[in-house]
Amino acid sequence: MDYFCASTVILHAIYLCCDRTMGLQHPAVLCAFRALLLLMLATHVSYLSLILFDYDYNLVANVAIGLLPHVCKCMVVVLLLQGLSLLELLDFPPLFWVLDAHAIWHISTIPVRVLFFSFLEDDSLYLLTESEAKFKQD
């Protein structure tokens, strides 16, 4: 479930970035893109669950898909998560017999989530003021 949830978070971040950049102007395109992302997730999870659980494939797929978003804060979040994913690759003995690479990775993603929430908050406020400005013009 950890790997499937990671894939879901990455695809959802891409969806939110695309919703922000083109969703208001092209809702039909966004709907088709959402369907494509859901199909990609279903295919990915099905392959790993039913055919072969390949850790390397999962990692490559998540890294490749995670590089797609292009909004500034969102991109920083994605790059930080990609950088932190090195902790998944660089396995080392536990520090102080407690904190191994996987535990440090989980702990280090907490501030990244705060930054991502900040992106979502800023973006929502921007969309709200933009829609109010359009409403005042009409």
Side-chain angles (χ1 to χ4, degrees):
M1 284 307 293
D2 184 30
Y3 302 125
F4 299 155
C5 289
S7 301
T8 304
V9 166
I10 291 169
L11 289 173
H12 190 255
I14 291 170
Y15 171 74
L16 289 175
C17 291
C18 291
D19 181 27
R20 166 61 189 99
T21 57
M22 68 180 181
L24 297 176
Q25 295 83 12
H26 308 285
V29 173
L30 184 65
C31 186
F33 187 66
R34 178 176 47 230
L36 175 68
L37 290 177
L38 286 172
L39 180 64
M40 287 173 58
L41 179 64
T43 304
H44 180 72
V45 170
S46 297
Y47 175 76
L48 291 174
S49 299
L50 304 173
I51 298 173
L52 172 69
F53 189 84
D54 185 354
Y55 180 78
D56 292 335
Y57 158 74
N58 182 55
L59 189 63
V60 169
N62 285 329
V63 169
I65 292 172
L67 292 175
L68 294 178
H70 60 297
V71 178
C72 188
K73 273 188 182 179
C74 189
M75 189 169 72
V76 169
V77 168
V78 171
L79 291 174
L80 283 172
L81 288 176
Q82 298 305 322
L84 291 172
S85 69
L86 289 174
L87 290 169
E88 289 284 327
L89 300 174
L90 304 173
D91 201 10
F92 52 82
L95 302 171
F96 308 112
W97 298 277
V98 176
L99 297 173
D100 65 350
H102 192 75
I104 294 172
W105 178 78
H106 277 287
I107 291 168
S108 63
T109 59
I110 294 170
V112 178
R113 308 265 183 232
V114 173
L115 180 62
F116 187 63
F117 179 79
S118 173
F119 158 74
L120 294 176
E121 186 177 41
D122 292 347
D123 193 51
S124 297
L125 290 172
Y126 173 78
L127 290 175
L128 183 64
T129 56
E130 186 178 290
S131 66
E132 288 176 357
K134 285 183 182 180
F135 182 73
K136 286 180 184 178
Q137 289 176 355
D138 294 338

